[in-house]
Amino acid sequence: MKVIEQEIHSLKNSISEMWALVHQQLYNAGEAMLTGDKELAYKVISRERRVNAFELKIDSDCEDIIALYAPVAIDLRFVLAMYKINTNLERLGDFAESIARFAGNLPEGEPIDPQLVKETRVEEMLSELLSMISLTKEAFEKESSEIASRIFLKDNLIDEINHNSTAIIAKYIEEHKGSALAGLYMAGVIRKMERFGDHCTNIAEELIFYLDAKVMKHMGKTEQ
């Protein structure tokens, strides 16, 4: 095996590990939010340092491969795509940490009102996001642009839930004056989750660029 092939294989493994960590971070943050589990929330917050450490290592590895081996064609596309995917994964880690911080700020032993959870469809949103990050990882590991392209439809559902949540939360706050803070927190979390979906879409675009040499950016979701 050539040295560049070994370096690319090692980079693939590092990205895969980071992907799995970010998936676990979102899962734990979501559980902490829905159950009011502060210990789990603090675990997510403390593990964010590992996500950041991965980002720095992968950035450095990408730069080294370009500087030392001058990759071309698909190898170059791979390294450029991993460089950008790495940034998006780090942002996903940030959003998971933000959701965990929200869970940590909830009053002791008081998870979010199940009525608000149901009406905003936040559990469905969380499930879709976990599915999106799993699908992007599967597309990466199987080198499948067809799997990657499924992300765009899923993001449309995330956008729809986000769009509908504003009026639902406003009505909830109006009817539950004592829970206004929880309503505002929920609005913030849903916004973070919508951005999480956008970053999954960015990752899918980078995978398609690497696999098919096709630029998907700025095409608009309906064209994708």
Side-chain angles (χ1 to χ4, degrees):
M1 189 186 280
K2 290 185 205 168
V3 180
I4 187 170
E5 287 172 1
Q6 291 174 342
E7 292 293 332
I8 281 175
H9 182 69
S10 173
L11 177 59
K12 261 184 182 170
N13 287 340
S14 294
I15 282 273
S16 220
E17 284 179 54
M18 186 179 182
W19 227 304
L21 174 60
V22 168
H23 184 279
Q24 190 62 49
Q25 285 285 86
L26 177 64
Y27 177 82
N28 287 346
E31 282 292 297
M33 177 184 69
L34 294 170
T35 62
D37 186 338
K38 288 182 180 290
E39 197 176 316
L40 191 56
Y42 298 142
K43 182 181 174 184
V44 173
I45 293 163
S46 67
R47 288 182 85 190
E48 167 65 9
R49 286 195 296 270
R50 284 185 62 198
V51 177
N52 292 338
F54 259 119
E55 187 207 17
L56 292 173
K57 179 189 182 302
I58 290 166
D59 266 1
S60 176
D61 289 349
C62 289
E63 288 160 6
D64 286 350
I65 290 171
I66 289 171
L68 297 173
Y69 306 107
V72 294
I74 194 165
D75 285 345
L76 178 59
R77 289 206 310 275
F78 174 78
V79 176
L80 291 175
M82 293 311 108
Y83 192 84
K84 291 182 180 178
I85 285 172
N86 181 41
T87 301
N88 280 287
L89 286 173
E90 191 275 332
R91 292 296 292 130
L92 294 184
D94 286 347
F95 291 133
E97 183 199 18
S98 296
I99 293 166
R101 286 192 183 279
F102 156 71
N105 287 332
L106 287 170
E108 195 67 51
E110 284 186 37
I112 307 166
D113 183 345
Q115 180 196 341
L116 183 60
V117 170
K118 185 180 176 186
E119 288 179 1
T120 54
R121 295 164 68 194
V122 76
E123 214 163 346
E124 182 186 351
M125 196 178 199
L126 185 63
S127 175
E128 280 298 307
L129 290 174
L130 288 166
S131 169
M132 284 172 84
I133 195 166
S134 293
L135 261 186
T136 53
K137 189 167 187 281
E138 186 186 347
F140 167 66
E141 288 171 349
K142 292 182 176 174
E143 299 190 334
S144 168
S145 52
E146 186 276 320
I147 294 173
S149 65
R150 287 191 233 155
I151 297 300
F152 305 129
L153 282 176
K154 284 185 170 290
D155 193 45
N156 290 339
L157 176 60
I158 298 295
D159 290 344
E160 178 201 321
I161 295 173
N162 174 58
H163 177 75
N164 293 339
S165 69
T166 306
I168 293 165
I169 291 171
K171 184 169 180 274
Y172 178 85
I173 291 172
E174 201 176 312
E175 293 172 357
H176 304 80
K177 296 283 195 288
S179 301
L181 193 57
L184 291 171
Y185 270 141
M186 180 62 98
V189 164
I190 288 172
R191 177 63 186 142
K192 299 264 182 216
M193 290 166 85
E194 189 270 334
R195 294 292 296 127
F196 196 104
D198 288 345
H199 282 276
C200 285
T201 299
N202 292 348
I203 289 171
E205 288 172 350
E206 292 304 330
L207 287 172
I208 290 167
F209 161 72
Y210 147 55
L211 294 165
D212 297 348
K214 192 171 168 187
V215 177
M216 301 294 290
K217 282 190 174 183
H218 310 304
M219 286 178 66
K221 288 178 183 174
T222 52
E223 292 173 45
Q224 290 167 346

